[in-house]
Amino acid sequence: MQNKTGKISVHTENIFPIIKKFLYSDHEIFLRELVSNAVDACQKLKTLSSIGETNMGDAPLKVSVHIDKENKTLTIRDNGLGMSAEEIEQYINQLAFSGAEAFVEKYKDKADANIIGHFGLGFYSGFMVASQVEIQTKSYKDAPAAHWTCDGSTSFTLAEGSRTERGTDIILHINEESAEFLETYRIQQLLSKYCKFLPITIEFEEKAINNTHPIWTKKPSELTDEDYTSFYSELYPMAPAPLFWIHLNVDYPFNLTGVLYFPKITNSIDAEKHKVQLYCNQVFVTDNVKDILPEFLMLLHGVIDSPDIPLNVSRSSLQSDTNVKKITQHISKKVSDKLKELFKNDRADFEKKWSSMDVFVKYGMLSDEKFAERAQEFCLLENTQGIFTELKEYVEKVKIAQTDKDDNAVILYTNNVETQHSYLQAATNKGYDVLKLEGILDNHFVNYIEQHFEKVKVKRIDADSIEQLIDKGTTRESVLNEEDTKKITALFESIEQPKIKLTVKAQALAPEDSFVAITEDEFMRRMKDMSAMQGMSMFGDMPTSYNLIINSNHPKATSLLSMDEGKQKASTQQLIDLALLSKQLLQGEQLTQFINRSIDNL
Ligand code: ADP
Ligand code: MG
């Protein structure tokens, strides 16, 4: 064979500075690209052997990675199909560069490291970390070994090589600023990040680092629960066992496999750490799946593998990509099907796990209409007695027992059984059912219910006196006459409130209901809570206004009016403080004064 030097055919002069600049932030992906090429070479050989084109022999196919610290080289070696000199010319010198050209054309302004492999540019990513790249290769065909070198300019040399066995060595002469890639721990880390599930054995330091048959490539019927849980700990070594999982397997209209796990939600920091991982033919691509999965599905763990998720388009256009849309719809459907199945098969178990699923299901309902429709059947509501009811059924139940004079069914809830105890007592005394809605999304969820069920209102138990919360329209006879009602109202109004704005309202309630109570308008409170959660100030900055409800039918109302002026004032002050206290509103100096006063009166 004749030695050769030449110019790499490329119209865009000096491609490397451009590639380097674009991909600066993600140099490490060179290893993924070169190892995937080596894996491809092995897979291709396997295919050729299976159709009788060649005999690959008995030696198992494998890829190995070697560090030579002294010579400052990193070598990726495979015993795949190899290349002849002609093939190097064709695949490395010409083809890759036409890919490079298209790449530069398309991404003059923006680039994402993930697209590199998709432009036939994978091989050249080696130049991000190497001052010189060598290929020593021998084809499975009867052709002399070839040796190619290139220093990152557009010149190369091609000569007879030294390799005696079939396969390829890619030798990277690691440049000074990339010395980290000569460190064992760093290569180990990268291999386990990108190559953990590649289909051909990858060796580093004489040890295989990968699982060549991860469970998502197998049929669900071949797998046991144990297989799924142990794969989960392979993915997330420290995480507690998952609640359940979904095996995805789609071949039409797109290709997608994967296993999604439902985590046991412990705290949000963990949820952040264990992300869904995206693979493309078993090569790790990213765990930033923000544009591929709807946000609520990102609370899940596991892997998705799809050659059809277009990585060769910019991130911003991913969301509008029709394949991506179909994929997310499909996953969302699968997830709701699975939840429904679990609910139908073992309701008791489902209820036990509900607290871990609550946020997920509600998030899904709030962000995905289709998911919401399906979820109405299994979205559970828990009341203060710990009884669970499906959303749809609960609404029906409330329609029978808790309807007001205008035919609105009223759902009552508490977000804190302890601090709202007196309000809860009032509701249970009336025989009403009260839900526990304590989650971070429940304000939004309550809006969802009101918007999706006709003539249904949702009210927190401290939003009004119980008779007003579900107004049956029966006006009670007032024990106090009009004049006395005015008097008692004025009495409460005369006590100055330094911090809180109280609107005093006298209501003729049941004599056994609370004498005085603080309430907070449902609508305003909800708006305020929600904007506070979103960090918006529109409602958040508004002063909260509370109502002070006086039960004019309470036996003590008459006694209060008949007291002498001094005692009357003191008692009124005490009554307001007690009402504030039971809503956790009595604080600071007022609280201290209240305590001192109470002790003085002992
Ligand atoms: P792509 O993998 O997308 O085709 P690359 O730039 O990564 O693009 O590689 C270009 C081509 O070089 C490959 O398609 C393949 O034909 C050849 N090649 C690269 N590495 C190897 C290898 N280790 N063994 C055999 N052929 C290889
Ligand atoms: Mg490649």
Side-chain angles (χ1 to χ4, degrees), residues 37-38 40-41 44 78 81-83 91-92 96 117 120-124 168 170:
N37 282 353
D40 287 350
K44 285 177 195 162
D78 68 71
L81 87 176
M83 283 180 279
Y91 299 135
I92 301 291
L121 264 183
F123 172 75
Y124 280 95
T168 304
I170 306 290

Side-chain angles (χ1 to χ4, degrees), residues 5 11 36-37 44 70 175 182 288 292 331 505 524 530 558:
T5 55
H11 305 293
S36 331
N37 282 353
K44 285 177 195 162
E70 219 163 291
N175 63 30
L182 292 170
N288 179 5
I292 298 146
I331 295 176
K505 288 177 184 169
M524 286 309 291
M530 287 196 292
T558 331

